């Protein structure tokens, strides 16, 4: 089912109409061309719009220089047009200016058709280009805010992480209760894709604001997602429940309940270290079956430690401004 972007449709319509009215008010020739220029200048993000605007401006200057030489020498013949085309295509490819190739060529064709190159004709085409580009930038000054979507996806991701960890906790203590969790991972994969799209849009539409937090958060959760998949695989290898499994199970519940907390995970890491010490002080495995089960359990504990350290690294990478802006004041990072 296709989705209609009404906001973009309205911006394109309004921008094209305003551009045409402006071109007419300035008594520009070929004023209808400004509609096409504006149409192609209203892109999905502010960043894309500005980058393409810059490339089209440079391409226009390049095209004008080539047209002046090739059209004049060939006296506006087809051969002169051919020389212009091959030169502009090669140079735009060489300097990565292909976004401005078609638009600049259309404007140069006005001059070639008129069989005359004058200062006023070049100024006419430059003004058409400027109006279309500037109108595109103006229309894209307003972009729908993605923050609400991003925060919603963050909440959903955190909730699924918690549910997975609770499921792991139950499965370690009672292997016969191992549940099918592939659906959880499939849902998370879909949510991550949507979150990436929303975050990219937000970052590319807020060029001068602090948007690093959302990107860093998403990268941290994606890495943790991979760790959770490894933990799930290791749990499936357990065929025996050693004594230590009960404590690891309880610990995973605490990790699950702390997943949404705005802290640096140091408290949970300290608890994990104490748990390791208790395990080392315990009795040695009595048989091969217990040894293998405890080895798998040891891998799971290592994976959980890495999961927590990813959160710690993320927390410690935040600036004081990001902590104050994006985290709840009552849950500031413990230094």
């Amino acid at each position: 089912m296709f989705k209609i972007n009404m906001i973009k449709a309205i911006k394109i319509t309004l921008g094209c109409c305003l551009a045409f009215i402006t071109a007419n008010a300035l008594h520009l020739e070929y004023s209808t061309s400004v509609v096409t220029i504006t149409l192609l200048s209203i892109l999905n993000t502010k960043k894309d719009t500005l980058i393409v605007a810059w490339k089209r401006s440079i391409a226009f200057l390049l095209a004008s220089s080539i047209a002046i030489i090739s059209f004049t020498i060939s006296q506006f013949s087809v051969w002169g047009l051919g020389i212009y085309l091959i030169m502009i295509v090669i140079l735009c490819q060489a300097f990565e200016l292909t976004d401005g190739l078609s638009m600049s060529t259309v404007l140069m064709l006005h001059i070639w058709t008129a069989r005359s190159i004058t200062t006023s004709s070049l100024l006419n085409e430059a003004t058409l280009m400027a109006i279309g580009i500037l109108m595109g930038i103006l229309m894209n000054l307003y972009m729908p805010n993605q923050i609400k979507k991003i925060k919603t996806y963050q909440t959903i991701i955190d909730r699924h992480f918690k549910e997975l960890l609770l499921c792991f906790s139950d499965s370690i203590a009672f292997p016969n209760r191992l549940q099918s969790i592939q659906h959880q991972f499939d849902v998370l994969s879909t949510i991550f894709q949507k979150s990436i799209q929303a975050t990219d849009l937000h970052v590319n539409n807020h060029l001068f604001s602090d948007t690093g937090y959302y990107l860093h958060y998403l990268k941290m959760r994606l890495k943790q997602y991979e760790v959770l998949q490894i933990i799930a695989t290791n749990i499936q290898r357990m065929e025996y429940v050693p004594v230590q499994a009960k404590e690891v199970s309880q610990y995973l519940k605490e990790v699950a309940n702390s997943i949404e907390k705005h802290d640096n995970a140091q408290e949970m890491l300290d608890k994990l270290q104490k748990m390791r010490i208790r395990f080392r002080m315990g009795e040695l495995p009595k048989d091969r079956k217990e040894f293998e089960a405890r080895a798998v359990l040891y891998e799971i504990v290592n994976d959980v430690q890495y999961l927590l350290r990813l959160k710690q690294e993320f927390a410690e990478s935040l600036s004081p401004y990001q902590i104050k802006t994006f985290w709840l004041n009552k849950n500031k990072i413990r230094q």
Side-chain angles (χ1 to χ4, degrees), residues 162-320:
K162 180 177 180 179
E163 290 175 359
L164 279 169
L165 285 165
L166 290 173
C167 179
F168 293 164
S169 171
D170 195 42
S171 300
I172 286 175
F174 308 97
N176 59 324
R177 296 186 188 177
L178 185 61
Q179 305 169 28
S180 176
I181 55 175
Q182 187 56 48
H183 175 69
Q184 291 261 39
F185 283 116
D186 292 340
V187 171
L188 271 170
S189 179
T190 301
I191 296 300
F192 272 124
Q193 291 175 10
K194 293 180 179 179
S195 183
I196 290 169
Q197 291 174 358
T199 304
D200 284 344
L201 278 174
H202 177 74
V203 170
N204 290 327
N205 283 324
H206 296 78
L207 306 179
F208 305 106
S209 63
D210 189 349
T211 57
Y213 172 83
Y214 298 109
L215 278 176
H216 292 160
Y217 170 87
L218 191 55
K219 289 178 181 178
M220 181 264 294
R221 286 302 192 215
L222 280 168
K223 289 180 181 178
Q224 288 186 321
Y225 172 76
E226 294 175 0
V227 176
L228 289 175
Q229 289 179 309
I230 295 172
I231 294 174
T233 301
N234 284 331
I235 290 175
Q236 291 174 348
R237 294 166 54 202
M238 289 190 65
E239 299 177 354
Y240 173 78
V241 182
V243 175
Q244 295 81 3
K246 303 290 183 181
E247 187 171 353
V248 175
S249 173
Q250 181 59 40
Y251 179 74
L252 280 175
K253 287 182 181 178
E254 294 182 45
V255 174
N257 291 325
S258 71
I259 201 72
E260 296 175 286
K261 288 184 179 179
H262 292 155
D263 60 19
N264 62 1
Q266 188 59 54
E267 181 180 352
M268 296 308 302
L269 285 168
D270 290 342
K271 286 185 178 182
L272 185 143
Q273 185 59 30
K274 291 176 182 177
M275 183 171 65
R276 282 180 181 278
I277 294 173
R278 287 194 294 272
F279 288 172
R280 284 198 295 267
M281 295 175 64
E283 296 182 359
L284 294 174
K286 295 182 176 63
D287 52 35
R288 182 182 181 86
K289 189 177 182 180
E290 183 181 353
F291 173 81
E292 291 176 349
R294 285 172 65 171
V296 174
L297 199 63
Y298 182 79
E299 288 186 45
I300 292 171
V301 171
N302 282 342
D303 293 334
V304 174
Q305 183 181 48
Y306 181 49
L307 186 87
L308 293 170
R309 282 182 175 167
L310 285 171
K311 181 179 181 181
Q312 186 177 58
E313 290 172 5
F314 165 74
E316 292 176 350
S317 71
L318 297 178
S319 66

Side-chain angles (χ1 to χ4, degrees), residues 42-253:
I42 301 176
L43 304 178
N44 291 326
T45 68
K46 292 179 183 177
K47 183 178 180 180
D48 289 340
T49 300
L50 291 173
I51 290 174
V52 170
W54 169 254
K55 288 184 177 182
R56 285 173 179 164
S57 299
I58 300 300
F60 176 80
L61 294 175
L62 196 60
S64 299
S65 301
I66 297 171
I68 290 172
I69 297 172
S70 62
F71 293 172
T72 301
I73 293 176
S74 67
Q75 296 184 343
F76 298 94
S77 68
V78 174
W79 299 112
L81 178 61
I83 293 171
Y84 161 81
L85 288 172
I86 194 167
M87 290 288 291
I88 191 65
V89 170
I90 290 173
L91 290 175
C92 281
Q93 289 178 347
F95 294 105
E96 298 182 352
L97 298 172
T98 51
D99 287 316
L101 174 60
S102 299
M103 197 171 294
S104 297
T105 298
V106 168
L107 295 175
M108 290 305 104
L109 283 173
H110 294 162
I111 293 175
W112 184 77
T113 303
R115 297 291 193 274
S116 173
I117 296 181
T118 63
T119 301
S120 60
S121 65
L122 288 172
L123 183 60
N124 182 87
E125 305 307 319
T127 306
L128 288 174
M129 172 74 81
I131 292 173
I133 289 175
L134 291 174
M135 195 58 68
I137 294 173
L138 180 63
M139 289 297 104
N140 269 354
L141 287 178
Y142 170 75
M143 284 291 187
N145 198 320
Q146 299 292 319
I147 295 298
K148 187 176 180 180
K149 276 187 180 180
I150 292 172
K151 288 184 176 180
T152 299
Y153 293 141
Q154 285 182 348
T155 300
I156 296 172
I157 290 169
D158 290 351
R159 186 180 72 241
H160 280 285
F161 271 37
K162 180 177 180 179
E163 290 175 359
L164 279 169
L165 285 165
L166 290 173
C167 179
F168 293 164
S169 171
D170 195 42
S171 300
I172 286 175
F174 308 97
N176 59 324
R177 296 186 188 177
L178 185 61
Q179 305 169 28
S180 176
I181 55 175
Q182 187 56 48
H183 175 69
Q184 291 261 39
F185 283 116
D186 292 340
V187 171
L188 271 170
S189 179
T190 301
I191 296 300
F192 272 124
Q193 291 175 10
K194 293 180 179 179
S195 183
I196 290 169
Q197 291 174 358
T199 304
D200 284 344
L201 278 174
H202 177 74
V203 170
N204 290 327
N205 283 324
H206 296 78
L207 306 179
F208 305 106
S209 63
D210 189 349
T211 57
Y213 172 83
Y214 298 109
L215 278 176
H216 292 160
Y217 170 87
L218 191 55
K219 289 178 181 178
M220 181 264 294
R221 286 302 192 215
L222 280 168
K223 289 180 181 178
Q224 288 186 321
Y225 172 76
E226 294 175 0
V227 176
L228 289 175
Q229 289 179 309
I230 295 172
I231 294 174
T233 301
N234 284 331
I235 290 175
Q236 291 174 348
R237 294 166 54 202
M238 289 190 65
E239 299 177 354
Y240 173 78
V241 182
V243 175
Q244 295 81 3
K246 303 290 183 181
E247 187 171 353
V248 175
S249 173
Q250 181 59 40
Y251 179 74
L252 280 175
K253 287 182 181 178

